[in-house]
Amino acid sequence: MKFKNWFLLILLFLFTGINAQIKNPVKFKFTVNELGNNQYEAVLNATLESGWHIYSRDIPEDTGIPTEYVVSGKNIELIGKFQEVGKKHEEFSEAFGGTIIYYSNSAGFKQKFKLKDGTKPGEVVAEITYQTCDDRVCLAPNTLEFTQKVAPKGATEEVVAPTDEVKDSVKTTETVVANPAKGEITVTETSKLDPKQLKIASIDFKKPLTDCGTASVQASENYWTYLLLGFIGGLIALLTPCVFPMIPLTVSFFTKGSKNKAKGKRDALMYGFFILMIFVLLSLPFHLIDGIAGNIFNEISTSVWLNIVFFIVFIFFAGSFFGYYDISLPSSIANKSSKAEEAGGIIGIFFMALTLVIVSFSCTGPILGSLLGGSLSGSSHIPTLLTLALTGFGLAWAIIFGLLALFPQALQSLPKSGGWMNTVKVVLGFIELALALKFLSKADLVSKTFLIKRELFIVIWIVIGIGLALYLFGLIRFPHDDKKPKISITRKILGALGIGFVIYLIQGLIPAERPKMQLLSGILPPLNVSYFHDEKDGILGMKPEHDFFNAIELAKKENKPILIDFTGYGCENCRKMEEFVWSEPDILPILQNDIVLASLYVDDKEELPEDQKTKIDLGEGQVKRVKTIGDRWSLFQQVNFNNNSQPHYVLITPDGKVINTPVSGYMPKEDFKKFLECGVDYFKNNK
């Protein structure tokens, strides 16, 4: 063992000093199956931990890293192309602006081959290049080799002495054998990889200069947002002509229709509870569908045709709100529910609530459809989010009916029914038009046609905004509007807000180094789907260093800390951070002015010089190859920071000292801001 060799030190860190931050969520098993007639099959099976996925080879360009499986070897002749085995999942990625295809839980890769000379043995070498990701991070692309001998019956293995040329090549091939379980490392040859490219002696991950930036980043859904949106949707629905006139009638029925006023109020509260229960029950079928069909909602949200259907449906909803036609359930359903009210007691109250939900469908249907569409495009936990949204919707109704039943005198303060309710419907119609475009845009992105550029999307919304403002100021009318509508102060204020929104949208049409329209991130097409986008512009107007050591020199010159951004071209969560977090107005100035950005791409495919390539024997027939710039930065990250996930952010001083605790994965803006400000402030105060 050459313990004085620098590479041994690196491997010592890598295999014996590693902690739980080094993730290895996929296990491989390599076998060679005999098929008969001198045909064989090289099979590599992958088993993944829960929550992780591995990309398919069929993933679109400019998204994730496609899995490549290459079989070669001595006395081997391939038959056809390799095949993937397992259940494919398709999911639309807002960050990539396209559909990603992946496997979860397990995947298999098969390659048929035959022996060129069926009387002699062969040696199969299988190489797989892959990337694994979960909802928060992606791991650096990895390349592994597996070898196995194939000996047909009766064959004898030929042993050939190596020639001088072969001997020379052996001398330049570095092989390091590592046994992490026993902490053993054997170096059989000397690596020629420049030591400065990997281990930085002054970096001590375990001892950051300050701990004020320790961020607790949780990969969780913002469930409260969906509950709140549903609640707001319920309040809006209460203001429509289908529902609002029924509020005083229903509350009066309970408070005056009973000789016992206390009982009347209890019945009214029960009525509100049943309304809430009915809306919650509406989400139950989606839980059953999800349980039966697994990934069906991801498939729905990434389907081109279903997104087009949603676009058409939302246009149809808008026409109903504009007053050109009504959407309602068959009258027979309402009649049966109304008749069931005669049962009296709790059952009668339940059917009264059900009747209300049914007869108000012409106004609530489009709003509920919007909640469904928003849930389908918002998360991987669609049934749960839909339940929360419908709970919020029903809760708004239950609270209003319940409170008015408890305090019936408040009915006197409610505005009278009138033309203002139709105004609410028409405004909702314009909102439905705007939402419809989102689904058409998604279909465009998924199909990779890119016809609806970011600027075109904004222009269409500007036209819709202008139409809304003109309507609110009384310059255009719809079928159910009064011939001479009275333009109230409220309509004028809303019209002015509409004009303000149009002005806000117009700025998105003007090219600028700094990103705009952060409020609409995730709704507008991605920044790269633009008439003005050029890959040469860098990231958000910044041009980061892609070599750590160049960044060190620049940081010393400018006396700034370095933000090491371990990223990847195929890292979806990295793109999400850049577009949705880095672009925030209180984050971007810090990145542009206070730090030196070093973006190190762990999936850079540019090959290293021959004398810097090496191999690491991981045991059990697995060999890790270090042959590209991406391999180098991936190993650099693991050796120095005990981490192999992306995005991974580290703030260090120009002399290589870690300032505060690094953070990983997609995270809320406030967590990332806290991390940045902590490190930058410490550096400024301790120069």
Side-chain angles (χ1 to χ4, degrees):
M1 294 190 200
K2 300 181 180 180
F3 285 97
K4 293 183 179 180
N5 186 278
W6 69 270
F7 196 56
L8 176 60
L9 295 178
I10 291 174
L11 293 172
L12 195 60
F13 272 96
L14 186 58
F15 291 110
T16 63
I18 228 153
N19 61 24
Q21 295 186 58
I22 295 293
K23 301 177 178 67
N24 186 24
V26 57
K27 305 294 183 184
F28 290 101
K29 182 179 180 180
F30 181 61
T31 57
V32 176
N33 300 327
E34 185 175 358
L35 304 178
N37 297 323
N38 191 35
Q39 291 191 7
Y40 301 84
E41 193 173 50
V43 181
L44 186 62
N45 289 316
T47 303
L48 292 94
E49 294 178 4
S50 177
W52 291 86
H53 61 260
I54 185 172
Y55 291 115
S56 165
R57 68 176 175 185
D58 299 322
I59 194 169
E61 293 183 4
D62 301 324
T63 55
I65 302 297
T67 298
E68 298 178 5
Y69 182 56
V70 179
V71 174
S72 60
K74 179 182 176 182
N75 195 25
I76 298 298
E77 181 178 336
L78 301 184
I79 301 175
K81 297 181 178 180
F82 83 87
Q83 296 180 336
E84 296 180 344
V85 181
K87 183 180 179 181
K88 287 185 178 180
H89 301 276
E90 295 187 9
E91 180 178 336
F92 180 77
S93 166
E94 293 283 358
F96 287 138
T99 301
I100 56 175
I101 305 171
Y102 62 90
Y103 296 93
S104 59
N105 299 321
S106 64
F109 307 92
K110 298 182 177 181
Q111 174 66 65
K112 290 184 178 180
F113 67 92
K114 66 180 181 180
L115 298 177
K116 294 179 181 178
D117 187 342
T119 64
K120 296 181 179 180
E123 185 179 61
V124 181
V125 179
E127 178 181 295
I128 186 168
T129 300
Y130 66 97
Q131 183 177 38
T132 48
C133 298
D134 66 3
D135 290 338
R136 288 186 57 243
V137 299
C138 287
L139 305 185
N142 203 7
T143 300
L144 297 177
E145 282 187 4
F146 303 82
T147 60
Q148 186 168 325
K149 294 185 180 297
V150 180
K153 295 180 180 179
T156 57
E157 184 172 355
E158 182 179 354
V159 180
V160 180
T163 63
D164 291 339
E165 181 179 352
V166 173
K167 291 179 181 178
D168 290 339
S169 66
V170 171
K171 290 180 181 178
T172 59
T173 301
E174 305 81 29
T175 304
V176 181
V177 181
N179 189 339
K182 297 181 180 180
E184 297 176 355
I185 301 172
T186 302
V187 182
T188 58
E189 291 290 341
T190 302
S191 169
K192 294 184 179 181
L193 194 59
D194 188 345
K196 81 169 188 177
Q197 299 297 325
L198 290 176
K199 181 60 187 171
I200 310 301
S202 60
I203 291 182
D204 186 349
F205 169 76
K206 296 180 180 179
K207 296 180 180 179
L209 299 175
T210 178
D211 61 358
C212 68
T214 303
S216 178
V217 181
Q218 300 293 332
S220 61
E221 298 286 353
N222 192 353
Y223 293 131
W224 290 106
T225 298
Y226 286 85
L227 185 67
L228 178 61
L229 289 176
F231 187 82
I232 294 173
L235 292 178
I236 294 174
L238 287 170
L239 300 177
T240 59
C242 313
V243 184
F244 189 82
M246 301 180 69
I247 295 176
L249 293 176
T250 305
V251 173
S252 297
F253 172 81
F254 285 110
T255 56
K256 297 179 181 179
S258 176
K259 296 180 180 180
N260 187 333
K261 291 186 178 181
K263 182 178 181 301
K265 290 184 177 182
R266 286 197 302 270
D267 289 345
L269 292 176
M270 185 65 68
Y271 178 70
F273 169 76
F274 281 136
I275 291 174
L276 172 60
M277 185 179 73
I278 289 169
F279 280 113
V280 173
L281 289 176
L282 288 175
S283 68
L284 181 60
F286 295 93
H287 288 272
L288 298 176
I289 293 172
D290 188 52
I292 296 171
N295 202 44
I296 187 171
F297 289 111
N298 279 333
E299 295 173 4
I300 290 174
S301 66
T302 59
S303 167
V304 174
W305 295 110
L306 283 175
N307 274 285
I308 291 176
V309 168
F310 273 115
F311 165 73
I312 295 172
V313 167
F314 271 57
I315 294 293
F316 186 65
F317 286 160
S320 172
F321 274 145
F322 288 147
Y324 293 113
Y325 44 80
D326 287 327
I327 302 173
S328 60
L329 295 174
S331 58
S332 59
I333 297 177
N335 292 336
K336 290 180 180 179
S337 178
S338 180
K339 188 175 181 180
E341 296 175 15
E342 299 174 2
I346 293 178
I347 295 177
I349 295 173
F350 171 79
F351 279 102
M352 284 186 65
L354 183 60
T355 302
L356 172 67
V357 174
I358 293 172
V359 299
S360 63
F361 183 79
S362 60
C363 290
T364 59
I367 299 175
L368 293 174
S370 301
L371 292 175
L372 173 61
S375 298
L376 283 174
S377 60
S379 172
S380 58
H381 303 94
I382 291 167
T384 300
L385 299 183
L386 185 59
T387 296
L388 288 169
L390 289 173
T391 298
F393 193 96
L395 188 62
W397 286 30
I399 289 175
I400 294 299
F401 280 101
L403 288 178
L404 289 176
L406 291 174
F407 307 101
Q409 61 272 18
L411 287 172
Q412 303 300 322
S413 61
L414 290 179
K416 295 182 179 180
S417 300
W420 66 269
M421 291 186 296
N422 187 67
T423 301
V424 172
K425 283 189 66 177
V426 172
V427 170
L428 291 175
F430 280 103
I431 294 174
E432 294 287 327
L433 283 180
L435 293 175
L437 182 61
K438 171 60 180 173
F439 289 99
L440 185 62
S441 172
K442 177 173 283 190
D444 175 61
L445 293 171
V446 172
S447 63
K448 307 290 278 188
T449 52
F450 300 131
L451 297 176
I452 304 179
K453 302 288 189 183
R454 189 178 179 93
E455 292 77 21
L456 178 59
F457 189 106
I458 293 172
V459 167
I460 295 174
W461 268 31
I462 287 174
V463 172
I464 294 173
I466 292 174
L468 174 60
L470 291 176
Y471 169 75
L472 290 171
F473 285 123
L475 299 178
I476 56 176
R477 292 188 296 109
F478 287 91
H480 293 167
D481 286 317
D482 297 332
K483 293 183 179 180
K484 294 182 179 180
K486 181 180 179 182
I487 309 303
S488 65
I489 296 296
T490 302
R491 283 186 63 159
K492 291 178 181 179
I493 293 174
L494 291 175
L497 291 175
I499 293 176
F501 185 63
V502 168
I503 295 173
Y504 173 77
L505 290 172
I506 289 175
Q507 65 174 324
L509 302 177
I510 304 172
E513 288 189 1
R514 286 193 175 190
K516 299 179 179 179
M517 321 278 290
Q518 287 90 349
L519 292 177
L520 299 179
S521 291
I523 298 177
L524 298 175
L527 294 171
N528 61 319
V529 183
S530 166
Y531 294 113
F532 306 111
H533 178 70
D534 189 339
E535 295 292 341
K536 297 179 181 178
D537 292 337
I539 301 174
L540 303 173
M542 300 180 292
K543 295 183 179 180
E545 294 289 338
H546 298 305
D547 185 289
F548 172 77
F549 303 99
N550 290 342
I552 285 283
E553 296 302 318
L554 183 60
K556 290 179 179 178
K557 180 179 179 181
E558 297 185 359
N559 196 22
K560 294 180 180 178
I562 304 165
L563 175 64
I564 308 177
D565 164 33
F566 289 104
T567 183
Y569 294 107
C571 173
E572 179 184 9
N573 294 298
C574 303
R575 301 292 83 75
K576 287 170 62 179
M577 280 294 295
E578 292 163 7
E579 182 167 346
F580 304 143
V581 177
W582 287 21
S583 61
E584 289 289 333
D586 52 346
I587 297 291
L588 188 58
I590 300 175
L591 299 176
Q592 291 177 326
N593 304 320
D594 298 330
I595 56 97
V596 170
L597 179 61
S599 292
L600 308 182
Y601 285 83
V602 298
D603 55 3
D604 191 327
K605 295 299 184 182
E606 183 178 344
E607 291 204 5
L608 292 166
E610 289 298 322
D611 63 350
Q612 294 186 20
K613 296 179 181 179
T614 189
K615 293 182 180 180
I616 302 174
D617 190 336
L618 302 179
E620 299 181 356
Q622 302 184 48
V623 177
K624 163 109 176 134
R625 300 179 64 181
V626 181
K627 63 177 182 178
T628 66
I629 291 177
D631 294 337
R632 179 182 66 185
W633 294 132
S634 174
L635 197 57
F636 174 84
Q637 179 186 4
Q638 295 178 53
V639 168
N640 292 286
F641 304 106
N642 284 347
N643 191 287
N644 64 337
S645 61
Q646 293 80 44
H648 184 64
Y649 304 108
V650 187
L651 274 168
I652 68 172
T653 62
D655 58 352
K657 295 180 181 178
V658 176
I659 300 175
N660 54 341
T661 306
V663 293
S664 294
Y666 181 78
M667 68 195 76
K669 180 195 75 170
E670 292 305 321
D671 282 346
F672 190 64
K673 181 180 179 181
K674 177 183 177 184
F675 162 74
L676 287 178
E677 290 182 338
C678 164
V680 170
D681 290 345
Y682 180 89
F683 180 81
K684 289 180 178 179
N685 295 328
N686 294 274
K687 287 184 179 180

